[in-house]
Amino acid sequence: MEHKASNTQNKSDNSDLINQKQKILILAAIPHGLRLDREIREIEEAIRRATNRDLFEIRIRTAVRPQDIRRAIAEEQPQIVHFCGHGLEDGSLLLEDDGGNNKPVPPEGLASLFKLHADYVKCVLLNACHSEQTAIAISLYINYVIGMNNPIQDRAAIEFARGFYDGLGYKNSGNKDVFQRGFAEGMVAIQLENLSQGLIPVFKKNLK
């Protein structure tokens, strides 16, 4: 298991995040189909099973274009942003243009976007291939960011998402970092399924 942290400094108020209302904004930039349907279903199931289920609220935007992401984050003001889609080897994430075609968005552009919303976005999960570079860029402004350092299979991506939200929903003793706990649960979920991609998710922690 590999944890990559830009700053390991503790911040006491993050252990209490799970006791506050958490809005999860799911941004999907892949065709409506098996991967998207199942990933959203697994997230919703994890939240339904959560000890603190009433503290979670899910919003979903699909077929997103750059302007859709910008507007959705500003309108919803989520604490957690979950991107479900595809990434390129240069770190760009694939969104859509007005014609429904692929539109690569570079890490720097997404980092600039999250800089505007650092007051309320606490965690960003980029469940897409080759998203580590974007995660590093975003982590300059957001405390917790998760990306993928290689291509990740759909099954592994879904298992990671299931484990991550299970971890957020478990009863917390109050002295644990909830997002790091969620990351650890996601890693274990991949490993228990005997998938060969257990080192692909990476965790960026930057507490200022």
Side-chain angles (χ1 to χ4, degrees):
M1 183 183 299
E2 181 183 11
H3 288 228
K4 296 186 178 180
S6 55
N7 190 333
T8 56
Q9 176 184 343
N10 290 327
K11 189 175 183 181
S12 59
D13 60 353
N14 283 283
S15 64
D16 297 326
L17 279 173
I18 206 63
N19 296 318
Q20 304 169 12
K21 189 74 174 181
Q22 302 291 301
K23 182 181 288 187
I24 302 166
L25 175 61
I26 301 174
L27 300 170
I30 57 177
H32 196 75
L34 179 62
R35 157 81 189 274
L36 174 58
D37 292 345
R38 186 177 173 196
E39 187 160 341
I40 292 174
R41 187 169 64 248
E42 293 295 349
I43 294 171
E44 292 175 331
E45 175 64 19
I47 297 306
R48 279 195 297 269
R49 294 169 59 90
T51 304
N52 301 308
R53 66 181 68 87
D54 293 338
L55 295 180
F56 292 96
E57 179 182 0
I58 297 176
R59 292 284 189 267
I60 302 169
R61 304 287 180 98
T62 60
V64 290
R65 303 165 298 172
Q67 61 266 36
D68 296 327
I69 286 185
R70 178 173 53 78
R71 292 167 180 164
I73 296 174
E75 292 167 3
E76 298 292 350
Q77 297 193 359
Q79 285 67 55
I80 302 168
V81 177
H82 180 115
F83 177 82
C84 174
H86 298 297
L88 303 177
E89 289 188 21
D90 67 357
S92 299
L93 297 184
L94 287 179
L95 303 183
E96 295 186 7
D97 63 17
D98 291 336
N101 303 305
N102 288 337
K103 181 177 181 61
V105 177
E108 297 77 12
L110 289 165
S112 296
L113 171 64
F114 281 100
K115 181 180 180 180
L116 297 177
H117 304 286
D119 287 347
Y120 45 83
V121 176
K122 304 303 180 187
C123 179
V124 177
L125 170 51
L126 304 172
N127 214 4
C129 300
H130 302 295
S131 55
E132 181 181 19
Q133 188 174 338
T134 296
I136 292 172
I138 293 173
S139 71
L140 294 175
Y141 310 108
I142 303 299
N143 289 350
Y144 300 90
V145 189
I146 297 168
M148 307 296 161
N149 62 19
N150 273 296
I152 186 165
Q153 298 170 358
D154 285 356
R155 184 182 172 197
I158 291 168
E159 289 298 332
F160 180 82
R162 174 194 292 174
F164 178 76
Y165 290 102
D166 278 345
L168 292 192
Y170 290 153
K171 185 175 181 180
N172 196 322
S173 63
N175 59 359
K176 294 181 179 178
D177 187 316
V178 293
F179 293 122
Q180 194 155 359
R181 168 67 182 272
F183 177 82
E185 289 285 346
M187 298 293 274
V188 169
I190 292 177
Q191 293 163 359
L192 287 178
E193 291 296 325
N194 198 27
L195 300 174
S196 60
Q197 301 201 308
L199 294 178
I200 290 178
V202 290
F203 185 71
K204 307 296 179 183
K205 181 177 177 181
N206 183 18
L207 302 183
K208 302 174 182 64

